[in-house]
Amino acid sequence: MAEKKTGKRLLEADTYYTIVAKQSGRVIEAGVPEMAGDELVRLAAADGSDRQLWRFAAEDGGCYKLICKASEKALDIIAAGVDDGSWVHQWDAIAHIGSQLWYVEPAEEGCCKIKARFTDKCLDVVGLSQEEGARLQIWEDVNGDNQKWRIEPVQSKAAKKPAAKKAPAKAEKEEAEADKPEKPVRKKPAAKKPAARKTATKAESKETPARRTAKQPDAKAEAASKESAASAGMKKA
């Protein structure tokens, strides 16, 4: 990742990067955990720690402050040195101080050079070292591999929101519904039928109105019979 001094910015302000040495593949790391207050920067094997993550904060004139994620301190030249061999460390970020301002310039093979704004000297590995713990300095531009770096994005500063769950497809939804246990169907109690009217007895059912009428004594006939019987008794007397 690289850009010209006057060109379009390619480094995003909300992204952290590792700065990888072309020669050794080691990354720039600020301080060491076992040495409290150590402000020097060095090369170390990449382990993803915050001490190896850098944010490129844009400044006027197309340059940057390089801010370490772990400390929020800026990459800085010790005592604002201008000579070859001046070591580099991390220090509290201070506005408009030239020792903390850097240009990023393109180099071959996807690499770049990181140059101090007020001296135009390159960020350089002391003694061309490729060893763990090698220190950094500024040196005149000799186009050496110990002055070339790869700037690789690692993660966004802003926390990413979890992706919203997608609604299941229609087929999946139907399948899920099919897998659910069936609920027992509660049967409604049957409605009670009204009590049936009792049927007439066999004899009663066969009896016609005419026969029923015949069984009833005729009042007139009964009276005549009684008169006849009375007359017969008088005659015998």
Side-chain angles (χ1 to χ4, degrees):
M1 177 83 60
E3 63 183 72
K4 295 180 180 179
K5 290 182 184 179
T6 57
K8 181 182 177 182
R9 292 189 184 276
L10 301 177
L11 299 168
E12 302 294 336
D14 62 350
T15 300
Y16 284 107
Y17 298 85
T18 55
I19 306 172
V20 185
K22 178 183 178 183
Q23 273 189 321
S24 63
R26 300 184 190 279
V27 301
I28 296 179
E29 177 180 85
V32 288
E34 60 272 16
M35 294 175 62
D38 179 24
E39 303 295 350
L40 290 176
V41 295
R42 62 175 190 155
L43 293 185
D47 61 12
S49 68
D50 287 353
R51 292 177 296 107
Q52 298 178 353
L53 302 182
W54 299 85
R55 175 168 54 89
F56 286 71
E59 294 286 333
D60 294 338
C63 56
Y64 299 93
K65 280 186 186 292
L66 278 60
I67 308 296
C68 178
K69 182 177 182 183
S71 63
E72 283 297 313
K73 292 183 178 182
L75 188 68
D76 180 278
I77 303 168
I78 293 176
V82 297
D83 297 326
D84 288 346
S86 296
W87 279 24
V88 175
H89 66 169
Q90 62 170 340
W91 199 256
D92 293 334
I94 302 172
H96 311 300
I97 184 170
S99 60
Q100 295 181 354
L101 298 178
W102 306 85
Y103 289 116
V104 177
E105 293 187 352
E108 65 278 2
E109 300 176 19
C111 295
C112 67
K113 295 176 184 178
I114 300 173
K115 290 188 173 183
R117 177 181 181 179
F118 68 115
T119 63
D120 213 35
K121 294 183 184 292
C122 294
L123 185 63
D124 178 288
V125 183
V126 173
L128 303 170
S129 176
Q130 300 183 41
E131 299 299 321
E132 183 83 5
R135 298 298 184 175
L136 303 182
Q137 61 184 1
I138 58 170
W139 200 269
E140 66 175 308
D141 187 352
V142 295
N143 202 36
D145 283 350
N146 65 316
Q147 297 178 342
K148 294 174 183 175
W149 309 88
R150 294 194 313 274
I151 302 176
E152 299 176 346
V154 175
Q155 65 185 53
S156 174
K157 253 181 85 178
K160 292 183 178 179
K161 294 181 180 179
K165 290 184 179 180
K166 292 183 178 179
K170 186 177 179 181
E172 292 177 356
K173 189 173 181 180
E174 290 177 353
E175 186 177 348
E177 291 292 335
D179 290 340
K180 288 183 181 179
E182 293 184 3
K183 293 182 179 179
V185 179
R186 296 180 64 182
K187 293 183 179 179
K188 292 182 180 180
K192 291 184 179 181
K193 295 180 180 180
R197 296 178 64 186
K198 290 183 179 180
T199 56
T201 61
K202 189 176 182 181
E204 289 174 341
S205 62
K206 288 182 179 180
E207 195 173 72
T208 62
R211 291 179 63 185
R212 287 179 184 174
T213 303
K215 286 184 178 180
Q216 294 177 357
D218 188 343
K220 291 181 178 181
E222 187 177 356
S225 176
K226 285 180 179 181
E227 290 178 2
S228 176
S231 300
M234 291 177 63
K235 287 180 179 181
K236 286 181 179 180

